[in-house]
Amino acid sequence: QVQLAESGGGLVQPGGSLRLSCSISRPHLDRYDIGWFRQAPGKEREGVSCVTFRHAKYYADTVKDRFTISRDDAKKMVYLQMDNLKPEDTAVYYCAIDRRIFSSTECSLEDLTRYDYWGQGTQVSVSS
């Protein structure tokens, strides 16, 4: 059974930083694309950032130049460095892994059905 576990969330003031971590138990992790998503109260889950198995990185326009995704396949970890946080970044953040190996397309921030395993989420709250 594949398991994902997020950590690193918390309460931070506007302009602050947090680093989210996600541990993934899937074998051969280096074959899969991985994504970070978030869901604010009353809103649909949305894509934040994703990284392909080739380490190509993609970001939602709302977080570009503030967030940085990275992965360490040897440690089976993926990270999301979040800087200059804003109140609108408040949400539960989830990591997820694509169901396909060696995907020939970009990782997707829109098609959540491509991701077959999800973590339980970690709360990020940005408030003064």
Side-chain angles (χ1 to χ4, degrees):
Q1 180 72 10
V2 176
Q3 293 184 327
L4 293 84
E6 303 92 341
S7 61
L11 174 63
V12 63
Q13 293 185 341
S17 297
L18 284 173
R19 188 194 194 207
L20 304 184
S21 300
C22 176
S23 65
I24 306 174
S25 67
R26 190 167 227 168
H28 308 296
L29 185 63
D30 58 355
R31 301 176 182 181
Y32 297 90
D33 298 349
I34 303 168
W36 281 100
F37 301 82
R38 66 186 181 186
Q39 188 166 17
K43 294 187 177 181
E44 293 187 352
R45 194 169 296 188
E46 63 177 4
V48 175
S49 180
C50 62
V51 56
T52 71
F53 73 95
R54 291 192 175 97
H55 294 228
K57 302 173 183 180
Y58 301 88
Y59 299 93
D61 288 342
T62 53
V63 306
K64 200 171 294 183
D65 298 325
R66 299 190 296 121
F67 290 11
T68 304
I69 192 170
S70 60
R71 62 189 292 169
D72 185 333
D73 294 324
K75 294 183 178 179
K76 294 189 179 295
M77 297 291 294
V78 63
Y79 306 98
L80 187 68
Q81 176 67 40
M82 306 186 296
D83 298 317
N84 190 21
L85 282 160
K86 303 176 180 180
E88 51 264 42
D89 295 318
T90 296
V92 178
Y93 283 71
Y94 301 88
C95 59
I97 187 165
D98 197 311
R99 67 180 69 250
R100 305 161 305 165
I101 63 171
F102 300 129
S103 174
S104 61
T105 62
E106 298 177 1
C107 54
S108 178
L109 297 178
E110 291 80 29
D111 184 4
L112 275 60
T113 64
R114 287 171 54 164
Y115 298 87
D116 60 348
Y117 288 100
W118 295 75
Q120 293 299 307
T122 185
Q123 176 70 48
V124 171
S125 299
V126 185
S127 175
S128 56

